[in-house]
Amino acid sequence: MVGEVEEAEFPERFRSYSENERHWQARREFILRNLPPDWAGEAPWPAAGRIDHLLSLSMVWANHLFLGCSYSKDLLDKVIEMAEGIEVEDVPQFTTRDEIMKKHQH
């Protein structure tokens, strides 16, 4: 029972105060899918450095997906690969500055 409660609460402690439910559910799935394979869902939790790295990558993915933030190609390739198979409905479409400039040149 205690292990089940800890497992259910584990990702919840990483939700941002201003994160809406839709964004959180997508990022939560990203975190759970990419937890270290040696973690069985109960204490002791993975090393803080590994979790911090995963949380950072989850924020990069969510910021890119929902806010249109840009990052290096290598970083985006990594988080997109990590998020493969996560279904998110009604993802906003963003236009980059380069796409706008190219459109106005014609």
Side-chain angles (χ1 to χ4, degrees):
M1 171 77 175
V2 172
E4 292 174 16
V5 171
E6 289 173 348
E7 181 179 359
E9 292 174 356
F10 175 75
E12 303 308 317
R13 68 180 65 195
F14 303 117
R15 183 176 183 171
S16 173
Y17 176 76
S18 62
E19 200 164 16
N20 70 38
E21 188 66 23
R22 192 179 106 181
H23 292 193
W24 168 241
Q25 289 305 318
R27 197 167 72 85
R28 182 181 188 278
E29 185 171 349
F30 182 99
I31 293 166
L32 290 174
R33 282 178 174 233
N34 291 286
L35 280 171
D38 59 338
W39 188 63
E42 53 193 46
W45 294 300
R50 292 174 74 185
I51 290 297
D52 287 346
H53 186 72
L54 175 57
L55 295 174
S56 296
L57 293 172
S58 75
M59 290 302 295
V60 166
W61 176 70
N63 288 345
H64 173 70
L65 186 70
F66 295 114
L67 304 176
C69 296
S70 298
Y71 300 94
S72 72
K73 181 183 180 332
D74 290 343
L75 181 56
L76 281 178
D77 288 347
K78 178 178 181 73
V79 296
I80 289 169
E81 179 182 325
M82 292 172 73
E84 190 172 317
I86 297 175
E87 305 249 345
V88 181
E89 294 182 12
D90 300 323
V91 176
Q93 297 297 313
F94 297 98
T95 305
T96 66
R97 184 186 73 71
D98 291 342
E99 291 170 335
I100 293 170
M101 297 302 290
K102 187 175 182 180
K103 181 179 177 181
H104 290 291
Q105 290 176 355
H106 292 115

